[in-house]
Each structure stands twice: as structure tokens, then as C-alpha cells.
Amino acid sequence: MSWGFTPYISEKSPYHGAYLAVVESVAKLVAEGASFEEVYLTFQEYFEKPKQDPKRWGKPLAAILGAFMAQKDFEIASIGGKDSMSGTFEDIDVPPTLVSFAVTVDKIKNIISPEFKGAGHKTILLKPEYTDTGLPDAKSQIALFNKVTELMRAGKVFAAYTPTYGGVAEAILKMAMGNGIGFKYADVDMDEIFGYNYGAFVLETDGSVDEGILLGETTEEFAIEYKGDKLELAELCKIYEDKLEDLVAM
């Protein structure tokens, strides 16, 4: 099971936000090792009170259209869901929200975990083609889903992650933290590292996959390095984990 939603995109375009929520939720399943063949969806929607304002009514309509087009493009169905139009308190409104949950089944032998497995492994970025609207091209995206699954089934992928709102930078950080393995970036543009790459995959490979964008290589040193600059991951992990310390203390 997985989910997809980015409030910052949905706030700007409920259509794009809902469409990408579907893409993200399905891509997360594929990144875990499941195939695309038997994926189903369920949606959770939450919007401000529409009142008598056509613009407020337009937000859920745009989101539903985005989710509907994603279902048509990928030929998958939402088999359930829940909606609410009460996300307003005085002058505070929730952002337009359509969360996509994706579910499927697969054999346990096919499932992999997202953390880096060892040092000296090449890590690549495989991306779909994107349309003029900034959304993934459906045919290209489906072909990429199948390609990633093929590489996994062939034993060429040790770990996989699909970039979400934090982009490649977030993916690399979280993949590194799991087993205390570092990462050294290749000559990759910052826009590629921090930009949106919805529907893409970061793959830790055995070195035999000669396609995609080379992001870099895993290292024994627990640090992230980019063009001579180095960040100690122990320090970053502490910052990341300490955000929940007050809750743990309670």
C-alpha cells in the first residue's frame, strides 16, 4: 500500500496535484518491487466550504478531473474513497486535497527496501518523458514502470526510491540514512537534484544498467559529497530525527 499527495502543488493547481498524487502513489508501489499490472486506487478528498463562490466550487472539480484523467491515462480505477467539503474554520481554509492511495499484491520475493545496501554501487535516475503541461506522459510512464520492474526482477537493483516533493535530494538522503551508507554525487545539475521528478526512480544498481542519468556512487563514509563540498550525515540524521524527540518524551 502507498499514498501520494503534495499540498504545495495542489494549492497552485488542484488538477496537477490530483494527477501527480496518482502518479506518486503508483510509483511508490513500483519502487517497492511490485508490478504495475494489478494496481487499484482509493481517494481521500478534503476541500474548503464552497459556499456560493464559483471559484471555490472549481477547486474540487479541477481535482476530480485530474484524478479522472490519471485513471484514464493509466487504465487503473479508484474503487472507493471519501470526501469532505468542510475544511474551513472562520477565515482559514485547507488547501485543495485529493490524496491517492494505491494498493496491489505481489510475491514477497519481489519486494525490496529503499535504503542503500552497500558502498561502491552506481546510482542512477530514470525519468519518464513529460508533456508541455509538466505532467508525465502516460505511455512513457507506464513503460518506465515496466522497465524498473524488469530490472528488479533481473536482480540488477539493490534499492529504489521515487522522488516526491523533496526531489532527488530527499531520496538520496533517506536511502543513505537507512544503513549508514554515504553518497558522492557525480556532475549532476542542482536543478536535477532539487527539482520535481514525479514518476521518476532513483535506483542503486549493480553497475550493469547503462541508461538514465548517473547520479553518483554510494560510499563507505557516512556523508553526502557534491563537487568537493561534504555534509556529515550523522549530523543531518540528528537534525531530521530530533524533530520528533519532544513527542517521544511525552
Side-chain angles (χ1 to χ4, degrees):
M1 301 178 67
S2 65
W3 64 277
F5 174 63
T6 300
Y8 308 104
I9 294 177
S10 294
E11 188 176 36
K12 299 297 182 182
S13 171
Y15 181 95
H16 282 70
Y19 193 103
L20 290 175
V22 172
V23 172
E24 179 184 345
S25 63
V26 176
K28 283 181 177 178
L29 288 184
V30 175
E32 292 170 0
S35 70
F36 178 62
E37 294 176 355
E38 295 291 337
V39 172
Y40 292 94
L41 307 170
T42 181
F43 296 145
Q44 172 76 53
E45 301 110 46
Y46 194 36
F47 295 91
E48 64 202 45
K49 289 182 180 178
K51 302 178 181 178
Q52 301 299 317
D53 187 343
K55 291 183 179 179
R56 295 168 79 94
W57 276 98
K59 294 176 184 179
L61 177 60
I64 291 169
L65 282 174
F68 177 67
M69 286 308 301
Q71 291 176 84
K72 283 179 63 68
D73 286 349
F74 296 104
E75 299 183 350
I76 52 178
S78 177
I79 57 176
K82 180 184 182 299
D83 62 87
S84 174
M85 304 290 284
S86 61
T88 297
F89 174 73
E90 295 182 349
D91 61 344
I92 301 174
D93 297 322
V94 299
T97 302
L98 190 148
V99 183
S100 173
F101 297 91
V103 296
T104 191
V105 295
D106 215 305
K107 295 181 179 179
I108 189 66
K109 68 178 183 178
N110 295 329
I111 306 305
I112 66 174
S113 56
E115 74 279 356
F116 287 140
K117 301 302 189 297
H121 294 161
K122 288 184 178 180
T123 301
I124 62 172
L125 176 67
L126 295 181
K127 302 169 57 172
E129 296 176 7
Y130 294 95
T131 67
D132 293 339
T133 65
L135 297 173
D137 175 80
K139 289 184 179 179
S140 173
Q141 185 70 74
I142 292 172
L144 180 57
F145 287 155
N146 294 331
K147 179 64 176 180
V148 170
T149 300
E150 177 187 334
L151 293 173
M152 289 179 174
R153 297 290 194 271
K156 297 181 178 181
V157 177
F158 301 125
Y161 201 105
T162 183
T164 57
Y165 182 72
V168 169
E170 177 192 10
I172 293 296
L173 173 65
K174 290 182 175 178
M175 294 174 82
M177 287 195 302
N179 281 328
I181 294 170
F183 189 79
K184 183 177 181 179
Y185 277 101
D187 187 15
V188 188
D189 190 89
M190 278 288 187
D191 289 340
E192 197 72 81
I193 296 173
F194 288 97
Y196 289 148
N197 276 297
Y198 280 92
F201 293 89
V202 176
L203 305 179
E204 178 193 11
T205 74
D206 62 359
S208 65
V209 185
D210 188 22
E211 52 190 297
I213 299 170
L214 177 62
L215 292 175
E217 188 173 285
T218 56
T219 62
E220 291 186 3
E221 183 181 8
F222 194 40
I224 289 181
E225 184 176 345
Y226 180 80
K227 293 185 177 180
D229 293 326
K230 191 177 296 185
L231 293 173
E232 298 297 331
L233 277 170
E235 181 179 351
L236 290 180
C237 286
K238 187 176 187 305
I239 294 171
Y240 180 78
E241 294 171 350
D242 279 358
K243 290 294 183 180
L244 299 177
E245 281 302 309
D246 291 342
L247 295 178
V248 174
M250 295 172 62

